[in-house]
Amino acid sequence: SAVISQKPSRDICQRGTSLTIQCQVDSQVTMMFWYRQQPGQSLTLIATANQGSEATYESGFVIDKFPISRPNLTFSTLTVSNMSPEDSSIYLCSVEGGMTPNTGELFFGEGSRLTVL
Amino acid sequence: EDQVTQSPEALRLQEGESSSLNCSYTVSGLRGLFWYRQDPGKGPEFLFTLYSAGEEKEKERLKATLTKKESFLHITAPKPEDSATYLCAVQAGSNYKLTFGKGTLLTVNP
């Protein structure tokens, strides 16, 4: 299992500003995933972050809007840039739970709830 | 495009009243179907993985089953602590990415 800590847990932001969410894992992991959970919507993968390489973004998400850092095997950040009210959402960090990669068994952080005014 | 549809959106049960949640999916080459539980203000918690039609998994009062088109999460004699949102997700083809449904909000009244 893995323990994942996210900061901040919640924040209220002004339109046009940017916010960086931090994700710390208690063990070394190869891949870290960033998800978005909008009200009434499915959990959606934003990007996959591998240490030492550029993040891989899913369709509809771009690096300029959601820059990601992955400086080591236990830490990652997601920045939500130039925020608008449509960015109000819960952002979740996750890692794989098993020893075998790509199993789909994920551990999630508790999420960062952003409200953009 | 992979699609996952969960029903009902919300379900209210009395304690001890058994029921089932449904997850129907449309994918090309299912690799696995996953059930997660999410409590308010928390991230999802992994429950089960099902890989092939006919497979069943159990955990306490929960049993997950899988057919070629859908999965059911059966809840037997639920307790109030089973109240949560239950999420279904699929992994298909060569893509490791999970596609999630919108979830079923289960409320169990004492």
Side-chain angles (χ1 to χ4, degrees):
Chain A
S1 65
V3 177
I4 303 172
S5 302
Q6 277 188 242
K7 292 181 182 178
S9 58
R10 58 177 62 231
D11 207 338
I12 299 173
C13 308
Q14 296 299 316
R15 180 194 301 260
T17 63
S18 299
L19 182 79
T20 296
I21 301 167
Q22 299 180 6
C23 178
Q24 178 75 51
V25 188
D26 69 343
S27 58
Q28 294 185 338
V29 294
T30 303
M31 291 194 289
M32 296 177 76
F33 306 94
W34 287 99
Y35 282 85
R36 182 174 72 181
Q37 191 171 35
Q38 293 180 305
Q41 299 301 313
S42 309
L43 200 61
T44 302
L45 181 64
I46 298 171
T48 301
N50 289 323
Q51 194 269 334
S53 63
E54 292 287 328
T56 303
Y57 288 83
E58 297 298 313
S59 176
F61 298 97
V62 295
I63 188 170
D64 290 346
K65 177 67 175 177
F66 298 100
I68 288 172
S69 78
R70 183 77 201 274
N72 57 51
L73 290 172
T74 63
F75 187 79
S76 179
T77 67
L78 170 76
T79 298
V80 186
S81 303
N82 188 26
M83 286 185 286
S84 66
E86 292 71 37
D87 295 317
S88 297
S89 184
I90 300 173
Y91 293 86
L92 293 146
C93 171
S94 73
V95 303
E96 289 185 310
M99 298 297 292
T100 304
N102 302 333
T103 61
E105 299 176 15
L106 301 177
F107 287 100
F108 286 85
E110 296 202 339
S112 299
R113 181 184 293 271
L114 302 187
T115 301
V116 184
L117 303 177
Chain B
E1 184 178 330
D2 301 337
Q3 291 190 340
V4 179
T5 303
Q6 291 189 247
S7 62
E9 292 184 7
L11 179 64
R12 189 178 294 271
L13 300 174
Q14 289 299 122
E15 184 171 3
E17 179 186 2
S18 301
S19 188
S20 297
L21 313 182
N22 178 265
C23 171
S24 62
Y25 61 91
T26 304
V27 300
S28 178
L30 181 72
R31 291 178 56 192
L33 184 139
F34 307 85
W35 283 97
Y36 284 81
R37 168 190 171 130
Q38 186 173 22
D39 293 303
K42 305 286 188 181
E45 175 188 350
F46 170 76
L47 292 173
F48 303 110
T49 307
L50 301 167
Y51 294 104
S52 57
E55 187 175 2
E56 299 182 351
K57 293 274 180 75
E58 286 189 65
K59 181 179 181 179
E60 296 181 356
R61 295 175 293 281
L62 302 176
K63 183 169 80 172
T65 62
L66 181 65
T67 73
K68 289 186 178 179
K69 294 183 178 181
E70 59 191 347
S71 176
F72 291 94
L73 185 65
H74 305 279
I75 303 174
T76 302
K79 298 182 178 182
E81 52 262 42
D82 294 321
S83 297
T85 296
Y86 290 85
L87 303 174
C88 173
V90 297
Q91 191 180 53
S94 59
N95 194 344
Y96 59 79
K97 167 187 147 181
L98 294 188
T99 300
F100 282 84
K102 293 183 179 181
T104 294
L105 174 61
L106 174 67
T107 304
V108 182
N109 295 317

